[in-house]
Amino acid sequence: MPNQIKKTYNPSLCDTTTFYVAHPDANYLNAQDVVHRLVASAKDISVATFNCFDDGNKLVIKDEIVANLIHEIQTKLEMIEKILPMAFDHEGGE
């Protein structure tokens, strides 16, 4: 694809909290919905991660899979951390 513009890679944007930008039309109610979905998803992933162990202590699948699940939980927690202030901004969020 010769017409494609090459963008430089910026490693500082790999951090979820740096990358996240709220939509200009979003308000605290939207933020609350997003936080709710992220928490529910993180809970589901934590259950899946726990199920990767036999009796809670012996890993029964590849450690790389567990590491990826933990990274996914961490990413969701970083997003929640970034969104929480907006979720409680009742005065400025409308």
Side-chain angles (χ1 to χ4, degrees), residues 9-77:
Y9 179 75
N10 185 347
S12 67
L13 295 178
C14 292
D15 177 26
T16 307
T17 57
T18 304
F19 187 82
Y20 172 79
V21 176
H23 189 280
D25 296 333
N27 63 22
Y28 74 96
L29 295 172
N30 301 118
Q32 289 174 3
D33 285 344
V34 170
V35 168
H36 181 267
R37 283 189 217 117
L38 287 169
V39 168
S41 179
K43 285 171 51 179
D44 290 343
I45 295 168
S46 70
V47 169
T49 304
F50 185 76
N51 287 329
C52 294
F53 295 87
D54 187 25
D55 294 329
N57 58 9
K58 181 172 172 30
L59 186 61
V60 293
I61 65 168
K62 289 177 61 175
D63 54 353
E64 181 180 359
I65 294 171
V66 175
N68 288 336
L69 290 169
I70 292 169
H71 181 265
E72 187 68 24
I73 293 169
Q74 178 65 34
T75 300
K76 290 183 186 313
L77 291 173

